[in-house]
């Protein structure tokens, strides 16, 4: 392994190297094609031989471990007999596991790349995914009327142990993405929707995968008519058939069996670098699957790269990037183009926080905010990294066959550390990052210092600016070419606007007393620009005791007017009934992706609040409710 991978980010970033990087970064890159690409396995036989080699290594390790344990067992006293474990414990453990549109309403990271969410638009209808069902509501010509609902799973199937999390719409096809613990993979449901908002089930497919859930990221993207998934697949070469864990697809039928799965990644679409897998270390197939929604039958193909388990993935307009991190240090970033061409890679150091740590910039570079240690963004891992921070900035044409390392001069040391809850976002020519702070510590010591917001022009050689804020940093979002930072201090929720010109500067502020964010995912926020300097912000909020539980029914959606970065309150649209109705829920009965969204559609303003859809109108500087509906399932559907 190259020396740069074994040294810390701080030690590797000496001043001469940083100056060299700055000069290198100033030169524009026009050719983004990689110098070399990863070599796939030449054949099924070559892939089998490699897996057999890994198996032999792991069996040798097991034999050595048994040899070490046996003498110890002979010399140790015999333990007292214990009662035989009952089957109820194993069953308890198993059960605990189950623990394009006319106008976008989704706050996406990359223009032209839609992300799976809980609400989308189809013509004159809003389409919602909630608690295992799809719903449509007519919003045409001042209308607000429920139209249809349907189960988000196949008729006749058992949805227990399944979670239906994300939805996308391509043409007249509604796609529901879920994960089934009982069936062991990603579930993709296709539904037809017509101009009247009627829904009809079409088909269900299963993609072999491990759980994709991330508290910050989304599993699915839509680029044109291409449905793109990232899914990790843990490999176990000691199983009878290691290919039984490779990327595969099946169409669901009532009598479906595991043998129905058909591999969608042949050996010549599976790649690895020259890095040898450490004996006994976990191995993951980081898989990118592309499915064509242009035809009624879903056809998919996949590419995969072998690497350690820790991962973060990011989708640009041209490629999927997968960053893998191995325990004990060392990492790599893979670039997997949408056009089906071979992936390329670079060996790296450090780990991104989440997908917002990445930017494929128009000048032909990949920019990534890194911290020294991290284990990817699966589940809640994004909050758990630590260590020194750096910005990696490399030309896209420096990607290669995985043998090369990003030069030390490509890393730029940054102030701060990658501690718990770090938030980051690229807005225009700036990278902004900061920390939520430690509310518990501030309750003990009111003078406990808040860390500043850092603002860095990612393409320039200047230092980061430290902007003092009176609150922590829990969310960073774009306001056109500028930004807004949302965070808490004591019991209040603060909004601070940031002007991003030749220098970054605090511009304005608004404080909502006794409130907290009602939704922390990026899709919970939306900014609707009206001119270059004016627009409306929407964000779900909670107040009082409800703020302690971010998954309780959201109390309201708050709207703020942005006028040249002066933030003023328009008001809030509130839920009338915060109690969860008895809706006969059979699947996805916890709103892990939230249940509240601000919606701006056809010049109108809505608040999605659980099963309520509330419309408001702005007049005389205030928003007032004009109507509301409930789209909850009818009582007769509960039995």
């Amino acid at each position: 392994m190259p020396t740069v991978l074994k040294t810390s980010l701080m030690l590797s970033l000496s001043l001469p190297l940083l100056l060299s990087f700055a000069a290198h970064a100033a030169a524009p890159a026009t050719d983004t094609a990689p110098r070399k690409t990863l070599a796939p396995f030449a054949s099924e036989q070559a892939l089998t031989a490699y897996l057999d080699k890994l198996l032999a290594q792991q069996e040798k390790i097991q034999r050595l471990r048994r040899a070490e344990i046996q003498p110890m067992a002979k010399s140790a006293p015999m333990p007292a007999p214990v009662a035989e474990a009952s089957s109820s414990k194993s069953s308890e453990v198993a059960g605990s596991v189950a623990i394009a549109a006319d106008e976008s309403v989704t706050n996406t990271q990359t223009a032209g790349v839609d992300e799976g969410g809980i609400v989308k638009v189809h013509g004159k209808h809003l389409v919602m995914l909630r608690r295992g069902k799809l719903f449509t509501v007519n919003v045409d010509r001042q209308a607000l009327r429920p139209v249809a609902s349907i189960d988000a799973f196949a008729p006749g199937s058992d949805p227990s142990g399944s979670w239906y999390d994300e939805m996308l719409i391509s043409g007249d096809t509604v796609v529901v993405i879920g994960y089934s613990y009982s069936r062991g993979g990603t579930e993709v449901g296709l539904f037809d929707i017509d101009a009247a908002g009627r829904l009809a089930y079409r088909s269900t497919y299963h993609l072999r995968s491990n759980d994709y859930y991330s508290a910050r990221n989304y599993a699915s993207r839509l680029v044109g008519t291409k449905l793109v998934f990232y899914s990790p697949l843990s490999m176990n070469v000691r199983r009878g058939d290691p290919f039984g864990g490779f990327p595969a697809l099946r169409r669901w039928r009532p009598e479906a069996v595991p043998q129905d799965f058909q591999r969608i990644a042949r050996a010549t679409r599976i790649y690895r670098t020259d890095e040898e897998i450490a004996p006994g270390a976990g191995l993951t197939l980081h898989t990118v699957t592309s499915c064509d929604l242009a035809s009624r039958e879903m056809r998919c193909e996949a590419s995969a790269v072998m690497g350690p388990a820790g991962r973060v993935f990011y989708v640009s307009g041209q490629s999927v990037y997968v960053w893998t991190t191995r325990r004990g240090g060392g990492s790599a970033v893979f670039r997997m183009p949408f056009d089906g061409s071979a992936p390329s890679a670079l060996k790296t150091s450090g780990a991104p926080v989440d997908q917002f740590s990445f930017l494929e910039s128009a000048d032909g570079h990949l920019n990534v905010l890194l911290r020294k240690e991290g284990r990817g963004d699966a589940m809640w891992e994004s909050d758990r990294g630590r260590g020194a921070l750096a910005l990696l900035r490399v030309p896209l044409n420096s990607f290669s066959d995985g043998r090369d390392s990003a030069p030390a001069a490509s890393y730029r040391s940054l102030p701060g550390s990658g501690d718990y809850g770090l938030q980051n976002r690229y807005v225009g020519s700036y990278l902004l990052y900061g920390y939520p702070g430690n509310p518990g510590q501030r309750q003990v010591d009111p003078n406990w210092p808040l860390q500043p917001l850092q603002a860095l022009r990612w393409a320039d050689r200047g230092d980061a600016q430290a902007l003092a804020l009176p609150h922590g940093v829990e969310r960073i979002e774009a306001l056109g070419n500028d930004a807004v930072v949302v965070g808490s201090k004591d019991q209040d929720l603060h909004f601070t606007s940031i002007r991003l010109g030749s220098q970054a500067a605090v511009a304005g502020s608004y404080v909502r007393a006794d409130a907290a964010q009602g939704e922390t995912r990026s899709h919970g926020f939306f900014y609707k620009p009206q001119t270059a300097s004016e627009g409306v912000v929407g964000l779900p909020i909670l107040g009082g005791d409800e703020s302690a539980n971010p998954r309780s029914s959201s109390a309201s959606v708050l709207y703020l007017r942005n006028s040249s970065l002066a933030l003023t309150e328009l008001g809030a649209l509130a839920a009338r009934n915060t109690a969860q109705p008895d809706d006969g829920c059979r699947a996805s009965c916890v709103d892990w992706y939230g249940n509240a969204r601000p919606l701006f559609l056809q010049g109108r303003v809505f608040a999605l609040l659980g099963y309520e859809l509330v419309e408001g109108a702005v007049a005389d500087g205030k928003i007032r409710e004009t109507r509301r509906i409930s789209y909850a399932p009818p009582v007769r559907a509960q039995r």
Side-chain angles (χ1 to χ4, degrees):
M1 184 181 293
T3 302
V4 66
L5 295 182
K6 298 181 180 178
T7 57
S8 72
L9 293 175
M10 292 298 292
L11 292 177
S12 66
L13 300 177
S14 62
L15 181 60
L17 292 178
L18 291 177
L19 293 176
S20 171
F21 162 73
H24 172 71
T30 55
D31 179 14
T32 61
R35 292 184 292 112
K36 300 176 184 177
T37 57
L38 292 170
F41 286 92
S43 64
E44 293 293 322
Q45 292 78 10
L47 177 57
T48 300
Y50 179 74
L51 297 178
D52 288 343
K53 173 185 171 184
L54 292 181
L55 175 60
Q57 291 175 344
Q58 294 195 12
E59 288 179 339
K60 180 179 179 180
I61 292 172
Q62 291 297 317
R63 288 194 300 271
L64 291 173
R65 287 176 178 171
R66 284 194 295 268
E68 292 173 355
I69 293 172
Q70 285 174 354
M72 296 172 60
K74 290 178 180 178
S75 61
M78 183 69 68
V82 295
E84 182 176 335
S86 68
S87 60
S88 60
K89 183 176 181 182
S90 61
S91 62
E92 178 183 349
V93 172
S96 68
V97 176
I99 300 237
D102 295 331
E103 189 173 359
S104 176
V105 292
T106 306
N107 179 29
T108 57
Q109 179 182 8
T110 303
V113 179
D114 200 7
E115 300 167 354
I118 65 169
V119 57
K120 299 292 178 181
V121 180
H122 179 267
K124 59 186 179 183
H125 296 89
L126 285 171
V127 185
M128 277 77 70
L129 172 66
R130 185 162 196 245
R131 294 171 65 83
K133 283 184 173 288
L134 285 169
F135 304 87
T136 59
V137 173
N138 187 315
V139 293
D140 185 38
R141 298 183 181 181
Q142 304 304 309
L144 198 60
R145 177 176 56 85
V147 175
S149 66
I150 191 172
D151 287 336
F153 44 87
S157 67
D158 180 4
S160 60
S162 300
W163 296 88
Y164 300 96
D165 299 315
E166 301 179 10
M167 171 184 55
L168 289 158
I169 297 181
S170 176
D172 294 331
T173 299
V174 179
V175 185
V176 174
I177 295 93
Y179 186 81
S180 175
Y181 288 95
S182 59
R183 288 177 278 275
T186 298
E187 188 166 305
V188 183
L190 303 183
F191 299 80
D192 294 316
I193 182 171
D194 64 14
R198 294 182 293 252
L199 295 164
Y201 171 78
R202 185 193 305 173
S203 56
T204 296
Y205 297 83
H206 294 139
L207 281 168
R208 191 180 285 151
S209 75
N210 298 134
D211 194 351
Y212 54 69
Y213 182 80
S214 167
R216 296 195 187 186
N217 212 338
Y218 305 91
S220 59
R221 302 292 194 277
L222 184 67
V223 183
T225 62
K226 294 290 186 181
L227 182 63
V228 180
F229 298 95
Y230 165 78
S231 54
L233 274 166
S234 298
M235 294 183 61
N236 182 1
V237 296
R238 292 194 298 272
R239 69 192 303 167
D241 175 19
F243 293 105
F246 273 56
L249 177 74
R250 75 175 177 188
R251 181 165 179 164
W252 180 85
R253 55 192 177 97
E255 62 276 14
V257 292
Q259 290 74 22
D260 291 344
F261 277 103
Q262 300 294 316
R263 274 182 59 187
I264 55 174
R266 57 192 184 275
T268 53
R269 297 297 299 173
I270 296 176
Y271 304 82
R272 58 179 291 263
T273 69
D274 65 331
E275 286 285 333
E276 290 296 333
I277 302 298
L283 181 62
T284 297
L285 274 179
H286 298 278
T287 307
V288 174
T289 303
S290 176
C291 303
D292 188 3
L293 297 177
S295 60
R296 291 187 63 80
E297 292 290 326
M298 193 174 78
R299 294 179 175 84
C300 304
E301 58 183 16
S303 298
V305 294
M306 290 183 175
R311 84 292 192 275
V312 179
F313 80 99
Y314 156 72
V315 183
S316 73
Q318 290 75 40
S319 302
V320 178
Y321 292 86
V322 179
W323 190 288
T324 64
T325 307
R326 67 179 68 245
R327 291 181 182 272
S331 57
V333 58
F334 297 88
R335 181 188 180 198
M336 307 175 76
F338 288 143
D339 62 9
S341 56
S344 52
L346 279 175
K347 293 175 184 175
T348 53
S349 292
V353 179
D354 54 26
Q355 74 272 28
F356 297 114
S357 302
F358 293 78
L359 174 67
E360 182 188 90
S361 52
D363 63 355
H365 285 72
L366 179 67
N367 309 269
V368 191
L369 176 66
L370 301 171
R371 50 191 176 190
K372 184 180 178 182
E373 297 179 21
R375 294 191 297 179
D377 67 356
M379 299 297 178
W380 290 268
E381 291 293 342
S382 289
D383 286 332
R384 296 172 181 166
R386 62 181 183 178
L389 295 175
L391 177 68
L392 172 68
R393 178 171 161 82
V394 290
L396 297 180
N397 60 15
S398 69
F399 276 70
S400 186
D401 59 2
R403 299 175 183 273
D404 300 328
S405 298
S410 299
Y411 297 90
R412 180 179 181 184
S413 180
L414 297 179
S417 64
D419 292 341
Y420 186 87
L422 178 65
Q423 302 293 317
N424 60 149
R425 187 65 69 94
Y426 294 89
V427 181
S429 59
Y430 279 86
L431 166 63
L432 306 175
Y433 64 93
Y435 311 85
N438 189 331
Q441 183 64 45
R442 289 203 303 277
Q443 289 177 3
V444 176
D445 179 6
N447 297 317
W448 182 262
L450 289 164
Q451 297 297 314
L453 175 75
Q454 299 287 346
L456 175 76
R457 294 180 69 95
W458 43 263
D460 296 345
R461 67 178 68 186
D463 295 332
Q465 288 181 252
L467 302 180
L469 303 179
H471 57 85
V473 178
E474 299 171 4
R475 178 186 290 275
I476 304 170
E477 300 284 358
L479 292 183
N481 296 322
D482 300 298
V484 63
V485 180
V486 182
S488 298
K489 181 184 180 183
D490 301 326
Q491 301 301 313
D492 302 333
L493 185 63
H494 292 242
F495 295 72
T496 299
S497 57
I498 308 294
R499 178 170 284 108
L500 299 176
S502 58
Q503 297 285 311
V506 172
S509 65
Y510 165 82
V511 180
R512 178 77 170 194
D514 298 319
Q517 286 195 93
E519 174 58 58
T520 58
R521 281 189 171 273
S522 60
H523 289 181
F525 176 95
F526 203 92
Y527 177 64
K528 186 68 172 180
Q530 295 168 329
T531 68
S533 60
E534 294 190 346
V536 178
V537 168
L539 180 69
I541 62 169
L542 295 169
D545 294 338
E546 290 179 305
S547 62
N549 182 2
R551 287 187 293 277
S552 64
S553 295
S554 288
S556 62
V557 174
L558 174 67
Y559 299 90
L560 303 179
R561 167 78 66 190
N562 168 40
S563 181
S564 299
L565 299 182
L567 302 176
T568 55
E569 180 182 329
L570 291 172
L573 297 176
R576 185 171 292 168
N577 181 12
T578 58
Q580 176 61 48
D582 181 8
D583 57 3
C585 182
R586 298 178 60 200
S588 292
C589 299
V590 176
D591 295 314
W592 292 108
Y593 279 59
N595 61 23
R597 298 289 187 268
L599 304 173
F600 301 89
L601 184 64
Q602 300 169 3
R604 298 160 68 187
V605 181
F606 300 93
L608 177 64
L609 297 158
Y611 279 128
E612 292 181 283
L613 186 62
V614 186
E615 184 173 2
V618 178
D620 301 323
K622 296 294 180 182
I623 189 167
R624 295 177 175 84
E625 179 184 329
T626 58
R627 71 194 85 185
R628 74 172 58 219
I629 61 162
S630 170
Y631 64 92
V635 175
R636 57 184 169 80
Q638 298 178 15
R639 299 290 180 259

